[in-house]
Amino acid sequence: MANAMKLNNRPLGSSGIEITTVGFGAWAAGGGGWIFSWGAQDDAESVAAIRRSIDLGVNWIDTAAVYGIGHSEEVVGRALREIPAGQRPLVFTKCGVVADPAKPFGPVTRTLRPDSIRREIEQSLKRLGVERIDLYQFHWPDETGVPIEDSWGEMVRLIAEGKVRAAGVSNFNVDLLERCERIRHVDSLQPPFSMIRRKAAADVIPWCAAHGTGVIVYSPMQSGLLTDSFTAERMAKLSEDDWRRKNPQFQEPNLGRNLRLRDALRPIAARHGVSVSAVSAAWTLSWRGVTGAIVGARSAAQVDGWIAAGQLDLSPADLDEIARAIGQTEAGEGPARPEQAGASAGG
């Protein structure tokens, strides 16, 4: 086994859970053949990547029922069975995006009906092979007309029954957060957040900081754009079922702006002796209120590429340089510089 690194830890809001500032994201482990696929993925490679992250000190995995229409949770469950009990990570998953297995490329339904939530958690517990989910999250707001109060009330019942330890939401705005908070404290929020997608820094992240709600950000490397090796040529070679082919950030003129921003990170990465990927993830962790960043990997080697983010504190000069690069490249939108840096910015 590899020697675990001393990764930074932060409390997940007031939940009582301590997490490493980087966690393993298992979206791509869902494999190919569904609407939000990253293309074909070897399950053994996914398990090896999970094992590598745990060996290096990561203490949580984030997945969702819809990833691969259950397949990602099955792969995570397989990895958990291979990890000694004393080293097992915290398991976070999500519900509320329902796909028809008979139509994997068909539309998904964002539903938070209480009976649907209950069906989903029973399936997730079985696939993951666990008795309790450490953090259960609503993946997206409901689009079927269910009041969030009814949905969050069901989450409270799942906690009372011992099926869920902590309760969170993903992709929620301030209004929905406040409506949930009136019923039961929201332990965590999972928003999209990167140097390109920065809007969360203007509203939901400050709300969470003020309310003792942890924040675990997703896509801190903007789904691969803010990594060392991504190119326009690689974009052209993505598999036909890779969701990024249709995403505006991967199309011109955004693609060129985003890659110029990525290139501006290379000197900073070189100064710290780390990868651009690590700088990208560490930047999200520099914002007050952010607890951790979900970082994906499709192989053990990719984990090695970003793991240093869990130890990296960017300096004020680094953050100034990044803010200038954001302005010069006109990449993305939202606030460009955190007010303070380093470990003191924890959630």
Side-chain angles (χ1 to χ4, degrees), residues 50-132:
I50 291 169
R51 289 293 302 270
R52 180 66 175 165
S53 71
I54 303 309
D55 285 349
L56 292 175
V58 170
N59 79 342
W60 54 287
I61 299 173
D62 181 85
T63 183
V66 77
Y67 296 162
I69 314 181
H71 189 67
S72 174
E73 288 186 333
E74 290 171 351
V75 171
V76 171
R78 173 178 156 187
L80 292 174
R81 287 193 297 275
E82 296 180 10
I83 297 170
Q87 298 168 21
R88 258 182 222 155
L90 299 161
V91 179
F92 304 167
T93 193
K94 302 181 281 291
C95 68
V97 180
V98 179
D100 181 350
K103 299 176 182 175
F105 287 102
V108 295
T109 302
R110 294 177 180 174
T111 178
L112 292 174
R113 281 174 38 213
D115 61 328
S116 183
I117 293 167
R118 188 159 288 272
R119 267 196 310 274
E120 284 203 77
I121 194 168
E122 294 300 342
Q123 293 166 352
S124 291
L125 289 166
K126 185 176 180 180
R127 286 189 291 253
L128 291 163
V130 298
E131 295 183 359
R132 182 178 71 166

Side-chain angles (χ1 to χ4, degrees), residues 244-260:
R244 293 175 292 179
R245 293 183 72 89
K246 298 175 182 174
N247 185 276
Q249 294 296 349
F250 289 81
Q251 314 293 331
E252 294 296 354
N254 290 332
L255 180 62
R257 291 191 191 110
N258 295 336
L259 292 180
R260 286 193 292 277

